[in-house]
Amino acid sequence: MLLQLLKPKLKELVEGGTKVRRVLPSVPIQAVGSFIFLDHMGPTSPGLPLDVGPHPHIGLSTVTYLFSGALQHYDSLGTSEVIRPGDINFMTAGRGIVHSERPVPTEKIQPLEGIQFWCALPPEHEETNPDFQHVASLDIPSVTVGSSKVNLLISPKSNSPFDLFGKKTSPVNARDTSTLYAAVEFRGEDVVHFRGNDAEERAVYAADPDGVTILDDSINGASPVVVPQYHLAVIKPGISVRVRGAGNASRPSRAIILGGNHIAHRYIWWNYVSTIREGIEDAKAHWGALTQPDKYPTLRAGLSNRFTIIPDDNQLSDYIPQPPPRA
């Protein structure tokens, strides 16, 4: 089989709030490379914001890329940053970070659409200090393929021959140095080559109604495979393919190309990712101690909380409580 198609599921980011289409994790495929979550946000209805209050993360990096609209990012490092279409926010949680995604307070609410990935951190970086990177669209390298444009959001730093961009590299510093993430804006039936040795694991996501078509380079006359909107095509290892788009100059068709080295199984619960169950339980205790101290035992004497208040979003009543333990 050339590829496996993963279908999206509708999920609420917060109860009664914006729904997203979640494609990863799936069964039996938990991740592609380090990409362990894929959420397609929006498009939101006019006048209805995407507004996600303060919540915690461990063991991952969040990767946010917008097609339209704008978001105000706040986090417990003191970051206050607006992300706009074509920009990328790359937030590494490490041992623990708290962040929120709010409407931009000084701007009229516009329909918002974008992609957010979670990338699982390598085990040696799970307890690293958190950090945040924002790269504006003008600083993201790109190339043209026919009339289409390919933006290199994250470039692999090791053992990858991916050469569509020549010597151009992304300024984003991913902890997993095999990570590949490119956003394609097809303005016609142009073709992007995705070779079998570009990454150990690879996938293509179709973001728009036109979808994308994948052609197998290894078999002459092989039938093309159409990837519908909101679906992720996980490509068989080692097979070189061509990704063909649609769209036109006024209405491009967007697709995401991603890849990286295989990672071991991760435990995932709510907003926490860890290689060990104990990492999840520890995060529960820390977030509970911060936001619901009456329901969670206090931390051991002398142990500081891995989560702290966001300076610019500091009303504890807005902090999202974690789900209750299963009975």
Side-chain angles (χ1 to χ4, degrees), residues 186-212:
F186 285 109
R187 290 179 169 84
E189 293 191 356
D190 295 315
V191 169
V192 173
H193 291 268
F194 203 9
R195 299 175 307 178
N197 59 352
D198 281 336
E200 182 179 341
E201 297 181 343
R202 296 162 299 143
V204 177
Y205 177 74
D208 281 322
D210 293 322
V212 295

mmCIF file with all atom_site columns, all heavy atoms in Angstrom, residues 186-212:
data_model
loop_
_atom_site.group_PDB
_atom_site.id
_atom_site.type_symbol
_atom_site.label_atom_id
_atom_site.label_alt_id
_atom_site.label_comp_id
_atom_site.label_asym_id
_atom_site.label_entity_id
_atom_site.label_seq_id
_atom_site.pdbx_PDB_ins_code
_atom_site.Cartn_x
_atom_site.Cartn_y
_atom_site.Cartn_z
_atom_site.occupancy
_atom_site.B_iso_or_equiv
_atom_site.pdbx_formal_charge
_atom_site.auth_seq_id
_atom_site.auth_comp_id
_atom_site.auth_asym_id
_atom_site.auth_atom_id
_atom_site.pdbx_PDB_model_num
ATOM 1   N N   . PHE A 1 186 ? -0.405  25.697 -3.256  1.00 0.00 ? 186 PHE A N   1
ATOM 2   C CA  . PHE A 1 186 ? -0.517  25.318 -4.671  1.00 0.00 ? 186 PHE A CA  1
ATOM 3   C C   . PHE A 1 186 ? -1.396  26.333 -5.409  1.00 0.00 ? 186 PHE A C   1
ATOM 4   O O   . PHE A 1 186 ? -2.515  26.624 -4.982  1.00 0.00 ? 186 PHE A O   1
ATOM 5   C CB  . PHE A 1 186 ? -1.133  23.926 -4.813  1.00 0.00 ? 186 PHE A CB  1
ATOM 6   C CG  . PHE A 1 186 ? -0.199  22.796 -4.466  1.00 0.00 ? 186 PHE A CG  1
ATOM 7   C CD1 . PHE A 1 186 ? -0.388  22.062 -3.301  1.00 0.00 ? 186 PHE A CD1 1
ATOM 8   C CD2 . PHE A 1 186 ? 0.857   22.464 -5.297  1.00 0.00 ? 186 PHE A CD2 1
ATOM 9   C CE1 . PHE A 1 186 ? 0.449   21.004 -2.984  1.00 0.00 ? 186 PHE A CE1 1
ATOM 10  C CE2 . PHE A 1 186 ? 1.709   21.411 -4.993  1.00 0.00 ? 186 PHE A CE2 1
ATOM 11  C CZ  . PHE A 1 186 ? 1.510   20.681 -3.833  1.00 0.00 ? 186 PHE A CZ  1
ATOM 12  N N   . ARG A 1 187 ? -0.887  26.834 -6.522  1.00 0.00 ? 187 ARG A N   1
ATOM 13  C CA  . ARG A 1 187 ? -1.654  27.756 -7.357  1.00 0.00 ? 187 ARG A CA  1
ATOM 14  C C   . ARG A 1 187 ? -1.833  27.167 -8.762  1.00 0.00 ? 187 ARG A C   1
ATOM 15  O O   . ARG A 1 187 ? -1.715  27.867 -9.756  1.00 0.00 ? 187 ARG A O   1
ATOM 16  C CB  . ARG A 1 187 ? -0.963  29.112 -7.418  1.00 0.00 ? 187 ARG A CB  1
ATOM 17  C CG  . ARG A 1 187 ? -1.013  29.877 -6.098  1.00 0.00 ? 187 ARG A CG  1
ATOM 18  C CD  . ARG A 1 187 ? -0.307  31.221 -6.167  1.00 0.00 ? 187 ARG A CD  1
ATOM 19  N NE  . ARG A 1 187 ? -0.584  32.021 -4.995  1.00 0.00 ? 187 ARG A NE  1
ATOM 20  C CZ  . ARG A 1 187 ? 0.064   31.937 -3.847  1.00 0.00 ? 187 ARG A CZ  1
ATOM 21  N NH1 . ARG A 1 187 ? 1.058   31.056 -3.739  1.00 0.00 ? 187 ARG A NH1 1
ATOM 22  N NH2 . ARG A 1 187 ? -0.254  32.693 -2.818  1.00 0.00 ? 187 ARG A NH2 1
ATOM 23  N N   . GLY A 1 188 ? -2.081  25.911 -8.825  1.00 0.00 ? 188 GLY A N   1
ATOM 24  C CA  . GLY A 1 188 ? -2.213  25.180 -10.072 1.00 0.00 ? 188 GLY A CA  1
ATOM 25  C C   . GLY A 1 188 ? -1.770  23.756 -9.835  1.00 0.00 ? 188 GLY A C   1
ATOM 26  O O   . GLY A 1 188 ? -1.486  23.350 -8.699  1.00 0.00 ? 188 GLY A O   1
ATOM 27  N N   . GLU A 1 189 ? -1.692  22.976 -10.892 1.00 0.00 ? 189 GLU A N   1
ATOM 28  C CA  . GLU A 1 189 ? -1.336  21.558 -10.758 1.00 0.00 ? 189 GLU A CA  1
ATOM 29  C C   . GLU A 1 189 ? 0.176   21.364 -10.784 1.00 0.00 ? 189 GLU A C   1
ATOM 30  O O   . GLU A 1 189 ? 0.708   20.543 -11.538 1.00 0.00 ? 189 GLU A O   1
ATOM 31  C CB  . GLU A 1 189 ? -2.029  20.749 -11.842 1.00 0.00 ? 189 GLU A CB  1
ATOM 32  C CG  . GLU A 1 189 ? -3.536  20.713 -11.682 1.00 0.00 ? 189 GLU A CG  1
ATOM 33  C CD  . GLU A 1 189 ? -4.201  19.705 -12.599 1.00 0.00 ? 189 GLU A CD  1
ATOM 34  O OE1 . GLU A 1 189 ? -3.499  19.091 -13.422 1.00 0.00 ? 189 GLU A OE1 1
ATOM 35  O OE2 . GLU A 1 189 ? -5.427  19.524 -12.482 1.00 0.00 ? 189 GLU A OE2 1
ATOM 36  N N   . ASP A 1 190 ? 0.859   22.130 -9.928  1.00 0.00 ? 190 ASP A N   1
ATOM 37  C CA  . ASP A 1 190 ? 2.301   21.958 -9.781  1.00 0.00 ? 190 ASP A CA  1
ATOM 38  C C   . ASP A 1 190 ? 2.583   20.722 -8.939  1.00 0.00 ? 190 ASP A C   1
ATOM 39  O O   . ASP A 1 190 ? 1.698   20.210 -8.234  1.00 0.00 ? 190 ASP A O   1
ATOM 40  C CB  . ASP A 1 190 ? 2.911   23.201 -9.122  1.00 0.00 ? 190 ASP A CB  1
ATOM 41  C CG  . ASP A 1 190 ? 2.777   24.441 -9.985  1.00 0.00 ? 190 ASP A CG  1
ATOM 42  O OD1 . ASP A 1 190 ? 3.037   24.342 -11.195 1.00 0.00 ? 190 ASP A OD1 1
ATOM 43  O OD2 . ASP A 1 190 ? 2.398   25.506 -9.450  1.00 0.00 ? 190 ASP A OD2 1
ATOM 44  N N   . VAL A 1 191 ? 3.820   20.260 -8.990  1.00 0.00 ? 191 VAL A N   1
ATOM 45  C CA  . VAL A 1 191 ? 4.198   19.016 -8.317  1.00 0.00 ? 191 VAL A CA  1
ATOM 46  C C   . VAL A 1 191 ? 5.396   19.263 -7.410  1.00 0.00 ? 191 VAL A C   1
ATOM 47  O O   . VAL A 1 191 ? 6.392   19.868 -7.827  1.00 0.00 ? 191 VAL A O   1
ATOM 48  C CB  . VAL A 1 191 ? 4.527   17.914 -9.350  1.00 0.00 ? 191 VAL A CB  1
ATOM 49  C CG1 . VAL A 1 191 ? 5.166   16.706 -8.663  1.00 0.00 ? 191 VAL A CG1 1
ATOM 50  C CG2 . VAL A 1 191 ? 3.272   17.490 -10.086 1.00 0.00 ? 191 VAL A CG2 1
ATOM 51  N N   . VAL A 1 192 ? 5.297   18.808 -6.173  1.00 0.00 ? 192 VAL A N   1
ATOM 52  C CA  . VAL A 1 192 ? 6.409   18.835 -5.223  1.00 0.00 ? 192 VAL A CA  1
ATOM 53  C C   . VAL A 1 192 ? 6.872   17.401 -5.012  1.00 0.00 ? 192 VAL A C   1
ATOM 54  O O   . VAL A 1 192 ? 6.059   16.515 -4.690  1.00 0.00 ? 192 VAL A O   1
ATOM 55  C CB  . VAL A 1 192 ? 5.991   19.466 -3.881  1.00 0.00 ? 192 VAL A CB  1
ATOM 56  C CG1 . VAL A 1 192 ? 7.109   19.322 -2.852  1.00 0.00 ? 192 VAL A CG1 1
ATOM 57  C CG2 . VAL A 1 192 ? 5.637   20.937 -4.069  1.00 0.00 ? 192 VAL A CG2 1
ATOM 58  N N   . HIS A 1 193 ? 8.154   17.135 -5.193  1.00 0.00 ? 193 HIS A N   1
ATOM 59  C CA  . HIS A 1 193 ? 8.714   15.790 -5.017  1.00 0.00 ? 193 HIS A CA  1
ATOM 60  C C   . HIS A 1 193 ? 9.022   15.564 -3.533  1.00 0.00 ? 193 HIS A C   1
ATOM 61  O O   . HIS A 1 193 ? 9.638   16.398 -2.871  1.00 0.00 ? 193 HIS A O   1
ATOM 62  C CB  . HIS A 1 193 ? 9.980   15.616 -5.854  1.00 0.00 ? 193 HIS A CB  1
ATOM 63  C CG  . HIS A 1 193 ? 9.712   15.583 -7.328  1.00 0.00 ? 193 HIS A CG  1
ATOM 64  N ND1 . HIS A 1 193 ? 9.497   14.413 -8.017  1.00 0.00 ? 193 HIS A ND1 1
ATOM 65  C CD2 . HIS A 1 193 ? 9.598   16.588 -8.243  1.00 0.00 ? 193 HIS A CD2 1
ATOM 66  C CE1 . HIS A 1 193 ? 9.267   14.688 -9.287  1.00 0.00 ? 193 HIS A CE1 1
ATOM 67  N NE2 . HIS A 1 193 ? 9.327   15.997 -9.452  1.00 0.00 ? 193 HIS A NE2 1
ATOM 68  N N   . PHE A 1 194 ? 8.596   14.412 -3.026  1.00 0.00 ? 194 PHE A N   1
ATOM 69  C CA  . PHE A 1 194 ? 8.823   14.016 -1.636  1.00 0.00 ? 194 PHE A CA  1
ATOM 70  C C   . PHE A 1 194 ? 9.448   12.630 -1.691  1.00 0.00 ? 194 PHE A C   1
ATOM 71  O O   . PHE A 1 194 ? 8.770   11.619 -1.855  1.00 0.00 ? 194 PHE A O   1
ATOM 72  C CB  . PHE A 1 194 ? 7.495   14.003 -0.892  1.00 0.00 ? 194 PHE A CB  1
ATOM 73  C CG  . PHE A 1 194 ? 7.591   14.140 0.606   1.00 0.00 ? 194 PHE A CG  1
ATOM 74  C CD1 . PHE A 1 194 ? 8.785   14.451 1.235   1.00 0.00 ? 194 PHE A CD1 1
ATOM 75  C CD2 . PHE A 1 194 ? 6.464   13.978 1.398   1.00 0.00 ? 194 PHE A CD2 1
ATOM 76  C CE1 . PHE A 1 194 ? 8.864   14.601 2.614   1.00 0.00 ? 194 PHE A CE1 1
ATOM 77  C CE2 . PHE A 1 194 ? 6.514   14.112 2.776   1.00 0.00 ? 194 PHE A CE2 1
ATOM 78  C CZ  . PHE A 1 194 ? 7.714   14.426 3.385   1.00 0.00 ? 194 PHE A CZ  1
ATOM 79  N N   . ARG A 1 195 ? 10.784  12.609 -1.595  1.00 0.00 ? 195 ARG A N   1
ATOM 80  C CA  . ARG A 1 195 ? 11.516  11.371 -1.857  1.00 0.00 ? 195 ARG A CA  1
ATOM 81  C C   . ARG A 1 195 ? 11.514  10.426 -0.665  1.00 0.00 ? 195 ARG A C   1
ATOM 82  O O   . ARG A 1 195 ? 11.340  10.849 0.484   1.00 0.00 ? 195 ARG A O   1
ATOM 83  C CB  . ARG A 1 195 ? 12.960  11.715 -2.237  1.00 0.00 ? 195 ARG A CB  1
ATOM 84  C CG  . ARG A 1 195 ? 13.069  12.562 -3.501  1.00 0.00 ? 195 ARG A CG  1
ATOM 85  C CD  . ARG A 1 195 ? 14.503  12.970 -3.764  1.00 0.00 ? 195 ARG A CD  1
ATOM 86  N NE  . ARG A 1 195 ? 15.089  13.611 -2.580  1.00 0.00 ? 195 ARG A NE  1
ATOM 87  C CZ  . ARG A 1 195 ? 16.343  14.026 -2.518  1.00 0.00 ? 195 ARG A CZ  1
ATOM 88  N NH1 . ARG A 1 195 ? 17.154  13.854 -3.547  1.00 0.00 ? 195 ARG A NH1 1
ATOM 89  N NH2 . ARG A 1 195 ? 16.793  14.599 -1.424  1.00 0.00 ? 195 ARG A NH2 1
ATOM 90  N N   . GLY A 1 196 ? 11.732  9.163  -0.966  1.00 0.00 ? 196 GLY A N   1
ATOM 91  C CA  . GLY A 1 196 ? 11.694  8.142  0.069   1.00 0.00 ? 196 GLY A CA  1
ATOM 92  C C   . GLY A 1 196 ? 12.726  8.321  1.147   1.00 0.00 ? 196 GLY A C   1
ATOM 93  O O   . GLY A 1 196 ? 12.529  7.872  2.287   1.00 0.00 ? 196 GLY A O   1
ATOM 94  N N   . ASN A 1 197 ? 13.858  8.962  0.835   1.00 0.00 ? 197 ASN A N   1
ATOM 95  C CA  . ASN A 1 197 ? 14.892  9.157  1.850   1.00 0.00 ? 197 ASN A CA  1
ATOM 96  C C   . ASN A 1 197 ? 14.899  10.580 2.412   1.00 0.00 ? 197 ASN A C   1
ATOM 97  O O   . ASN A 1 197 ? 15.835  10.975 3.099   1.00 0.00 ? 197 ASN A O   1
ATOM 98  C CB  . ASN A 1 197 ? 16.274  8.811  1.296   1.00 0.00 ? 197 ASN A CB  1
ATOM 99  C CG  . ASN A 1 197 ? 16.658  9.643  0.078   1.00 0.00 ? 197 ASN A CG  1
ATOM 100 O OD1 . ASN A 1 197 ? 15.838  10.398 -0.460  1.00 0.00 ? 197 ASN A OD1 1
ATOM 101 N ND2 . ASN A 1 197 ? 17.892  9.498  -0.379  1.00 0.00 ? 197 ASN A ND2 1
ATOM 102 N N   . ASP A 1 198 ? 13.852  11.374 2.145   1.00 0.00 ? 198 ASP A N   1
ATOM 103 C CA  . ASP A 1 198 ? 13.789  12.720 2.725   1.00 0.00 ? 198 ASP A CA  1
ATOM 104 C C   . ASP A 1 198 ? 13.560  12.671 4.229   1.00 0.00 ? 198 ASP A C   1
ATOM 105 O O   . ASP A 1 198 ? 13.958  13.576 4.959   1.00 0.00 ? 198 ASP A O   1
ATOM 106 C CB  . ASP A 1 198 ? 12.669  13.538 2.073   1.00 0.00 ? 198 ASP A CB  1
ATOM 107 C CG  . ASP A 1 198 ? 13.066  14.093 0.711   1.00 0.00 ? 198 ASP A CG  1
ATOM 108 O OD1 . ASP A 1 198 ? 14.279  14.243 0.463   1.00 0.00 ? 198 ASP A OD1 1
ATOM 109 O OD2 . ASP A 1 198 ? 12.168  14.372 -0.104  1.00 0.00 ? 198 ASP A OD2 1
ATOM 110 N N   . ALA A 1 199 ? 12.880  11.632 4.706   1.00 0.00 ? 199 ALA A N   1
ATOM 111 C CA  . ALA A 1 199 ? 12.635  11.444 6.135   1.00 0.00 ? 199 ALA A CA  1
ATOM 112 C C   . ALA A 1 199 ? 12.232  9.989  6.358   1.00 0.00 ? 199 ALA A C   1
ATOM 113 O O   . ALA A 1 199 ? 11.671  9.341  5.472   1.00 0.00 ? 199 ALA A O   1
ATOM 114 C CB  . ALA A 1 199 ? 11.533  12.381 6.633   1.00 0.00 ? 199 ALA A CB  1
ATOM 115 N N   . GLU A 1 200 ? 12.513  9.489  7.535   1.00 0.00 ? 200 GLU A N   1
ATOM 116 C CA  . GLU A 1 200 ? 12.180  8.090  7.841   1.00 0.00 ? 200 GLU A CA  1
ATOM 117 C C   . GLU A 1 200 ? 10.675  7.872  7.799   1.00 0.00 ? 200 GLU A C   1
ATOM 118 O O   . GLU A 1 200 ? 10.188  6.870  7.264   1.00 0.00 ? 200 GLU A O   1
ATOM 119 C CB  . GLU A 1 200 ? 12.734  7.727  9.223   1.00 0.00 ? 200 GLU A CB  1
ATOM 120 C CG  . GLU A 1 200 ? 12.497  6.281  9.624   1.00 0.00 ? 200 GLU A CG  1
ATOM 121 C CD  . GLU A 1 200 ? 13.085  5.962  10.991  1.00 0.00 ? 200 GLU A CD  1
ATOM 122 O OE1 . GLU A 1 200 ? 13.955  6.712  11.476  1.00 0.00 ? 200 GLU A OE1 1
ATOM 123 O OE2 . GLU A 1 200 ? 12.653  4.954  11.576  1.00 0.00 ? 200 GLU A OE2 1
ATOM 124 N N   . GLU A 1 201 ? 9.921   8.785  8.395   1.00 0.00 ? 201 GLU A N   1
ATOM 125 C CA  . GLU A 1 201 ? 8.456   8.757  8.345   1.00 0.00 ? 201 GLU A CA  1
ATOM 126 C C   . GLU A 1 201 ? 7.978   10.054 7.713   1.00 0.00 ? 201 GLU A C   1
ATOM 127 O O   . GLU A 1 201 ? 8.505   11.133 8.014   1.00 0.00 ? 201 GLU A O   1
ATOM 128 C CB  . GLU A 1 201 ? 7.860   8.589  9.747   1.00 0.00 ? 201 GLU A CB  1
ATOM 129 C CG  . GLU A 1 201 ? 8.237   7.268  10.394  1.00 0.00 ? 201 GLU A CG  1
ATOM 130 C CD  . GLU A 1 201 ? 7.633   7.081  11.769  1.00 0.00 ? 201 GLU A CD  1
ATOM 131 O OE1 . GLU A 1 201 ? 7.191   8.080  12.385  1.00 0.00 ? 201 GLU A OE1 1
ATOM 132 O OE2 . GLU A 1 201 ? 7.611   5.928  12.249  1.00 0.00 ? 201 GLU A OE2 1
ATOM 133 N N   . ARG A 1 202 ? 6.949   9.939  6.836   1.00 0.00 ? 202 ARG A N   1
ATOM 134 C CA  . ARG A 1 202 ? 6.496   11.126 6.098   1.00 0.00 ? 202 ARG A CA  1
ATOM 135 C C   . ARG A 1 202 ? 4.981   11.113 5.965   1.00 0.00 ? 202 ARG A C   1
ATOM 136 O O   . ARG A 1 202 ? 4.354   10.045 5.976   1.00 0.00 ? 202 ARG A O   1
ATOM 137 C CB  . ARG A 1 202 ? 7.110   11.146 4.680   1.00 0.00 ? 202 ARG A CB  1
ATOM 138 C CG  . ARG A 1 202 ? 8.620   11.278 4.631   1.00 0.00 ? 202 ARG A CG  1
ATOM 139 C CD  . ARG A 1 202 ? 9.152   10.860 3.268   1.00 0.00 ? 202 ARG A CD  1
ATOM 140 N NE  . ARG A 1 202 ? 8.819   9.472  3.008   1.00 0.00 ? 202 ARG A NE  1
ATOM 141 C CZ  . ARG A 1 202 ? 8.470   8.980  1.819   1.00 0.00 ? 202 ARG A CZ  1
ATOM 142 N NH1 . ARG A 1 202 ? 8.437   9.768  0.753   1.00 0.00 ? 202 ARG A NH1 1
ATOM 143 N NH2 . ARG A 1 202 ? 8.191   7.706  1.667   1.00 0.00 ? 202 ARG A NH2 1
ATOM 144 N N   . ALA A 1 203 ? 4.421   12.305 5.825   1.00 0.00 ? 203 ALA A N   1
ATOM 145 C CA  . ALA A 1 203 ? 2.980   12.404 5.615   1.00 0.00 ? 203 ALA A CA  1
ATOM 146 C C   . ALA A 1 203 ? 2.665   13.710 4.920   1.00 0.00 ? 203 ALA A C   1
ATOM 147 O O   . ALA A 1 203 ? 3.466   14.658 4.929   1.00 0.00 ? 203 ALA A O   1
ATOM 148 C CB  . ALA A 1 203 ? 2.223   12.305 6.942   1.00 0.00 ? 203 ALA A CB  1
ATOM 149 N N   . VAL A 1 204 ? 1.477   13.759 4.306   1.00 0.00 ? 204 VAL A N   1
ATOM 150 C CA  . VAL A 1 204 ? 0.984   14.951 3.629   1.00 0.00 ? 204 VAL A CA  1
ATOM 151 C C   . VAL A 1 204 ? -0.433  15.215 4.117   1.00 0.00 ? 204 VAL A C   1
ATOM 152 O O   . VAL A 1 204 ? -1.272  14.295 4.143   1.00 0.00 ? 204 VAL A O   1
ATOM 153 C CB  . VAL A 1 204 ? 0.986   14.773 2.095   1.00 0.00 ? 204 VAL A CB  1
ATOM 154 C CG1 . VAL A 1 204 ? 0.399   16.009 1.406   1.00 0.00 ? 204 VAL A CG1 1
ATOM 155 C CG2 . VAL A 1 204 ? 2.401   14.499 1.588   1.00 0.00 ? 204 VAL A CG2 1
ATOM 156 N N   . TYR A 1 205 ? -0.710  16.459 4.514   1.00 0.00 ? 205 TYR A N   1
ATOM 157 C CA  . TYR A 1 205 ? -2.027  16.848 5.016   1.00 0.00 ? 205 TYR A CA  1
ATOM 158 C C   . TYR A 1 205 ? -2.679  17.806 4.032   1.00 0.00 ? 205 TYR A C   1
ATOM 159 O O   . TYR A 1 205 ? -2.054  18.776 3.577   1.00 0.00 ? 205 TYR A O   1
ATOM 160 C CB  . TYR A 1 205 ? -1.898  17.520 6.381   1.00 0.00 ? 205 TYR A CB  1
ATOM 161 C CG  . TYR A 1 205 ? -3.219  18.009 6.938   1.00 0.00 ? 205 TYR A CG  1
ATOM 162 C CD1 . TYR A 1 205 ? -4.158  17.115 7.441   1.00 0.00 ? 205 TYR A CD1 1
ATOM 163 C CD2 . TYR A 1 205 ? -3.525  19.370 6.961   1.00 0.00 ? 205 TYR A CD2 1
ATOM 164 C CE1 . TYR A 1 205 ? -5.363  17.547 7.948   1.00 0.00 ? 205 TYR A CE1 1
ATOM 165 C CE2 . TYR A 1 205 ? -4.741  19.812 7.465   1.00 0.00 ? 205 TYR A CE2 1
ATOM 166 C CZ  . TYR A 1 205 ? -5.659  18.902 7.956   1.00 0.00 ? 205 TYR A CZ  1
ATOM 167 O OH  . TYR A 1 205 ? -6.862  19.334 8.450   1.00 0.00 ? 205 TYR A OH  1
ATOM 168 N N   . ALA A 1 206 ? -3.946  17.542 3.694   1.00 0.00 ? 206 ALA A N   1
ATOM 169 C CA  . ALA A 1 206 ? -4.701  18.395 2.774   1.00 0.00 ? 206 ALA A CA  1
ATOM 170 C C   . ALA A 1 206 ? -5.574  19.347 3.587   1.00 0.00 ? 206 ALA A C   1
ATOM 171 O O   . ALA A 1 206 ? -6.482  18.916 4.300   1.00 0.00 ? 206 ALA A O   1
ATOM 172 C CB  . ALA A 1 206 ? -5.564  17.553 1.845   1.00 0.00 ? 206 ALA A CB  1
ATOM 173 N N   . ALA A 1 207 ? -5.294  20.650 3.474   1.00 0.00 ? 207 ALA A N   1
ATOM 174 C CA  . ALA A 1 207 ? -5.985  21.633 4.305   1.00 0.00 ? 207 ALA A CA  1
ATOM 175 C C   . ALA A 1 207 ? -7.208  22.241 3.642   1.00 0.00 ? 207 ALA A C   1
ATOM 176 O O   . ALA A 1 207 ? -8.048  22.832 4.334   1.00 0.00 ? 207 ALA A O   1
ATOM 177 C CB  . ALA A 1 207 ? -5.008  22.754 4.696   1.00 0.00 ? 207 ALA A CB  1
ATOM 178 N N   . ASP A 1 208 ? -7.337  22.140 2.315   1.00 0.00 ? 208 ASP A N   1
ATOM 179 C CA  . ASP A 1 208 ? -8.387  22.849 1.591   1.00 0.00 ? 208 ASP A CA  1
ATOM 180 C C   . ASP A 1 208 ? -9.309  21.899 0.826   1.00 0.00 ? 208 ASP A C   1
ATOM 181 O O   . ASP A 1 208 ? -8.964  20.733 0.603   1.00 0.00 ? 208 ASP A O   1
ATOM 182 C CB  . ASP A 1 208 ? -7.758  23.857 0.628   1.00 0.00 ? 208 ASP A CB  1
ATOM 183 C CG  . ASP A 1 208 ? -7.304  25.121 1.342   1.00 0.00 ? 208 ASP A CG  1
ATOM 184 O OD1 . ASP A 1 208 ? -8.012  25.566 2.254   1.00 0.00 ? 208 ASP A OD1 1
ATOM 185 O OD2 . ASP A 1 208 ? -6.235  25.653 0.998   1.00 0.00 ? 208 ASP A OD2 1
ATOM 186 N N   . PRO A 1 209 ? -10.485 22.397 0.408   1.00 0.00 ? 209 PRO A N   1
ATOM 187 C CA  . PRO A 1 209 ? -11.469 21.523 -0.264  1.00 0.00 ? 209 PRO A CA  1
ATOM 188 C C   . PRO A 1 209 ? -10.951 20.821 -1.507  1.00 0.00 ? 209 PRO A C   1
ATOM 189 O O   . PRO A 1 209 ? -11.421 19.727 -1.836  1.00 0.00 ? 209 PRO A O   1
ATOM 190 C CB  . PRO A 1 209 ? -12.609 22.485 -0.609  1.00 0.00 ? 209 PRO A CB  1
ATOM 191 C CG  . PRO A 1 209 ? -12.512 23.569 0.400   1.00 0.00 ? 209 PRO A CG  1
ATOM 192 C CD  . PRO A 1 209 ? -11.048 23.744 0.656   1.00 0.00 ? 209 PRO A CD  1
ATOM 193 N N   . ASP A 1 210 ? -9.990  21.422 -2.232  1.00 0.00 ? 210 ASP A N   1
ATOM 194 C CA  . ASP A 1 210 ? -9.456  20.786 -3.432  1.00 0.00 ? 210 ASP A CA  1
ATOM 195 C C   . ASP A 1 210 ? -8.688  19.507 -3.120  1.00 0.00 ? 210 ASP A C   1
ATOM 196 O O   . ASP A 1 210 ? -8.507  18.655 -3.998  1.00 0.00 ? 210 ASP A O   1
ATOM 197 C CB  . ASP A 1 210 ? -8.532  21.748 -4.184  1.00 0.00 ? 210 ASP A CB  1
ATOM 198 C CG  . ASP A 1 210 ? -9.282  22.935 -4.754  1.00 0.00 ? 210 ASP A CG  1
ATOM 199 O OD1 . ASP A 1 210 ? -10.414 22.742 -5.221  1.00 0.00 ? 210 ASP A OD1 1
ATOM 200 O OD2 . ASP A 1 210 ? -8.740  24.050 -4.719  1.00 0.00 ? 210 ASP A OD2 1
ATOM 201 N N   . GLY A 1 211 ? -8.213  19.369 -1.877  1.00 0.00 ? 211 GLY A N   1
ATOM 202 C CA  . GLY A 1 211 ? -7.380  18.236 -1.529  1.00 0.00 ? 211 GLY A CA  1
ATOM 203 C C   . GLY A 1 211 ? -6.061  18.259 -2.299  1.00 0.00 ? 211 GLY A C   1
ATOM 204 O O   . GLY A 1 211 ? -5.697  19.257 -2.923  1.00 0.00 ? 211 GLY A O   1
ATOM 205 N N   . VAL A 1 212 ? -5.328  17.171 -2.235  1.00 0.00 ? 212 VAL A N   1
ATOM 206 C CA  . VAL A 1 212 ? -4.101  17.013 -3.019  1.00 0.00 ? 212 VAL A CA  1
ATOM 207 C C   . VAL A 1 212 ? -4.100  15.612 -3.612  1.00 0.00 ? 212 VAL A C   1
ATOM 208 O O   . VAL A 1 212 ? -4.823  14.723 -3.162  1.00 0.00 ? 212 VAL A O   1
ATOM 209 C CB  . VAL A 1 212 ? -2.820  17.231 -2.181  1.00 0.00 ? 212 VAL A CB  1
ATOM 210 C CG1 . VAL A 1 212 ? -2.715  18.651 -1.677  1.00 0.00 ? 212 VAL A CG1 1
ATOM 211 C CG2 . VAL A 1 212 ? -2.745  16.243 -1.028  1.00 0.00 ? 212 VAL A CG2 1
#
